[in-house]
Amino acid sequence: MSMREKASSVTTELPLSAVLFDMDGTLVDTEGLWWEAVEQVAGRPLTEADRPDVLGRPVEHTAAWLAAAGGDADRLAAALHREFADRVLTGVVPRPGALALLAALAREGVPTALVTASPRAVADIVLRALGALGAPEFAVSVTADDTGRTKPEPDPYLAACRALGVAPAHCVAVEDTPTGVASAEAAGCAVLAVPSLAPIDAVPGRTVLDGLTGVTPERLRAMTGRHLTVMSWNLWLGGAMVEDHRAKQLAAIRASGADIVGLQETGGTATRELAEELGWHHHHAGENLGLLSRHPVVARLGDPDVGFYGATGARVLVDGEREVDVWTAHLHPTPYGPYEADFGGLPADELIAHEGVRLEQLRDVLRRIAEEAGEERPVVLVGDFNAPSHLDRPDVAWPVTRAAEAAGFRDSYREARPDPVRDPGPTWSPIHPVHPEEGERAGRPEPQDRIDYVLHNGRGLRVLGSRTLVTGVPAPWPAVAANEWPSDHAAVVTTFALGRRSAR
């Protein structure tokens, strides 16, 4: 069977696992009611300049904004709740097409969730009003009271996906404000934007319509194919240190929503075995490296006999029209910079000098990538670089990540989460809170660094969201056999919007 014949035998269509609806301004026409409530509490007419602090924001944000001009934020929040609830009880109106779309999704068995920045008390009032108008029941509802952070952070949409047991990349979020769109895209969802009061730009991976009239489940289903979710994962000696590791690896991959997984430390057989269980395409090179892909592999790139350290790649045909080169790399682990910095106290120039082996390995990878990709093809490079980022530890010009940047590669995690203090994103190590080796370092806090990456060259790729992934709460080394998470590294999962242009 030829490679293209084999590719055609595997189903690559992404499912529509769920549709996640914002409430205010999306399902029901309450944003006008909210605007009136804020005007009432503020004691003045609102203007265009007030929009960013009024629309798509939790009540607490708007109350704090009003309090800056005088007043108690808690009292103002209570007044906003009261004024808005009174108006909803007497004046809620569904947006045109909303009830018809909800009914169509229910007929096709597609789960729905309500994801709102409103408090639970207000959401429940709206849900009762929708039910009285004949709307099907939502499987899940997530409000501002249910997550530590609300929109524009991804937490509400991630919480809804977890509650439904679905991957964000297989969901469509329906939103009407830039704040809500940012939240849904950061979670990795496809987005249908139906602007109510504030304009929203159309960009790759986002559909913008005037309203919900005429929107069908079929149209929403087509939107899930415009994203590409890529995962980087070091399997830790194939996973052999953890009981039932293959089943746990499969569960983690499915939970991630990944379309492509770049693997390191495959233990020789993990790539093939995982692909067979998933029903996916795969490429394996050497004893250590592999790629899993929901989409067909149309070319295999790099040295098929690469050693334990190095890189391999595959050309993947996404949605039958867009070719993307995806490479997975594993760079040499010693000497390890964070140990030399935190334990050894070496100065920056020595730390940089000791990155020579990894730097040459990465330069070779970048050379091979450039030769294969040409000038236009999108490229994603993932892997365990065994090196920290200059974007995380700016006191040292760490040369490995700087070399990738100089070659035109962008760090997707730092694009999505630019503040390394707020979102450090360590991938080494979820099982090593203290140093695992014997000697004078034994028992000292293990440096927690981001050494696993999903990089991209920006050609037709736009980062929607990126996160690290660890399932369960891993027990620390050495009591790891029963861990749900079968690795000593966290994975990195990035969702990209894909442009239409193909390099074929």
Side-chain angles (χ1 to χ4, degrees), residues 50 79 91 100 102 149 198 309 331 343 365 376 390 456-457 473 488:
D50 299 322
L102 289 170
R149 302 184 302 176
Y309 300 107
L331 307 185
F343 296 151
V365 174
E376 296 184 358
H390 65 288
H456 71 103
N457 66 357
V473 181
D488 56 351

Side-chain angles (χ1 to χ4, degrees), residues 297-429:
V297 173
V298 297
R300 305 178 193 279
L301 313 174
D303 181 2
D305 299 316
V306 63
F308 192 84
Y309 300 107
T312 191
R315 185 158 296 149
V316 176
L317 182 62
V318 180
D319 294 345
E321 64 176 28
R322 287 164 287 187
E323 289 184 350
V324 180
D325 287 0
V326 184
W327 290 73
T328 180
H330 192 196
L331 307 185
H332 202 278
T334 60
Y336 187 53
Y339 288 171
E340 294 193 313
D342 293 3
F343 296 151
L346 295 189
D349 58 343
E350 292 187 43
L351 293 170
I352 292 169
H354 289 185
E355 292 291 313
V357 171
R358 282 183 288 272
L359 182 58
E360 286 307 310
Q361 287 176 327
L362 184 68
R363 283 174 172 165
D364 178 66
V365 174
L366 294 171
R367 176 182 59 78
R368 291 173 183 268
I369 288 173
E371 290 173 354
E372 295 282 3
E375 297 295 325
E376 296 184 358
R377 183 170 284 111
V379 180
V380 180
L381 169 61
V382 311
D384 171 8
F385 288 6
N386 277 307
S389 173
H390 65 288
L391 301 176
D392 299 347
R393 288 179 173 245
D395 53 327
V396 177
W398 297 98
V400 172
T401 53
R402 283 174 61 89
E405 185 177 79
F409 281 86
R410 307 170 187 176
D411 184 334
S412 67
Y413 187 86
R414 277 291 159 251
E415 280 192 277
R417 302 171 183 270
D419 187 345
V421 175
R422 179 179 177 181
D423 293 303
T427 58
W428 179 266
S429 165

Side-chain angles (χ1 to χ4, degrees), residues 127-368:
L127 287 171
R128 287 196 296 273
L130 286 172
L133 294 170
E137 186 175 352
F138 290 92
V140 168
S141 61
V142 177
T143 74
D145 300 329
D146 300 322
T147 57
R149 302 184 302 176
T150 189
K151 303 174 186 181
E153 301 297 335
D155 303 38
Y157 281 101
L158 292 175
C161 290
R162 283 194 299 270
L164 290 167
V166 298
H170 302 166
C171 298
V172 174
V174 186
E175 275 283 356
D176 75 307
T177 66
T179 301
V181 167
S183 174
E185 289 185 340
C189 301
V191 171
L192 169 60
V194 285
S196 56
L197 297 177
I200 298 173
D201 294 329
V203 297
R206 181 193 305 164
T207 301
V208 181
L209 299 176
D210 290 337
L212 295 177
T213 301
V215 175
T216 63
E218 181 180 6
R219 183 163 192 176
L220 296 178
R221 191 170 286 112
M223 294 178 190
T224 59
R226 299 180 186 178
H227 289 176
L228 186 69
T229 298
V230 182
M231 176 177 177
S232 181
W233 196 12
N234 183 316
L235 294 182
W236 189 23
L237 303 176
M241 303 300 288
V242 176
E243 298 167 352
D244 201 19
H245 56 274
R246 197 67 80 228
K248 292 174 180 178
Q249 290 165 347
L250 287 166
I253 291 169
R254 288 172 174 140
S256 74
D259 304 305
I260 299 174
V261 185
L263 301 173
Q264 308 89 44
E265 294 195 31
T266 62
T269 63
T271 306
R272 174 181 55 81
E273 292 173 2
L274 289 168
E276 289 175 353
E277 289 293 329
L278 292 164
W280 288 12
H281 311 275
H282 75 282
H283 168 55
H284 180 73
E287 60 182 299
N288 175 46
L289 296 168
L291 287 158
L292 305 169
S293 176
R294 187 191 303 273
H295 302 285
V297 173
V298 297
R300 305 178 193 279
L301 313 174
D303 181 2
D305 299 316
V306 63
F308 192 84
Y309 300 107
T312 191
R315 185 158 296 149
V316 176
L317 182 62
V318 180
D319 294 345
E321 64 176 28
R322 287 164 287 187
E323 289 184 350
V324 180
D325 287 0
V326 184
W327 290 73
T328 180
H330 192 196
L331 307 185
H332 202 278
T334 60
Y336 187 53
Y339 288 171
E340 294 193 313
D342 293 3
F343 296 151
L346 295 189
D349 58 343
E350 292 187 43
L351 293 170
I352 292 169
H354 289 185
E355 292 291 313
V357 171
R358 282 183 288 272
L359 182 58
E360 286 307 310
Q361 287 176 327
L362 184 68
R363 283 174 172 165
D364 178 66
V365 174
L366 294 171
R367 176 182 59 78
R368 291 173 183 268

Side-chain angles (χ1 to χ4, degrees), residues 9-75:
S9 69
V10 179
T11 300
T12 61
E13 182 181 357
L14 292 177
L16 176 62
S17 296
V19 180
L20 317 175
F21 288 91
D22 171 56
M23 186 177 74
D24 300 326
T26 301
L27 279 179
V28 292
D29 190 10
T30 58
E31 289 200 338
L33 302 179
W34 172 245
W35 190 268
E36 291 175 7
V38 176
E39 285 187 324
Q40 178 66 32
V41 174
R44 65 172 178 84
L46 298 177
T47 69
E48 188 70 22
D50 299 322
R51 279 185 192 274
D53 292 297
V54 175
L55 296 184
R57 295 289 190 173
V59 174
E60 290 71 21
H61 175 94
T62 302
W65 168 71
L66 290 173
D72 178 78
D74 290 339
R75 290 194 180 92

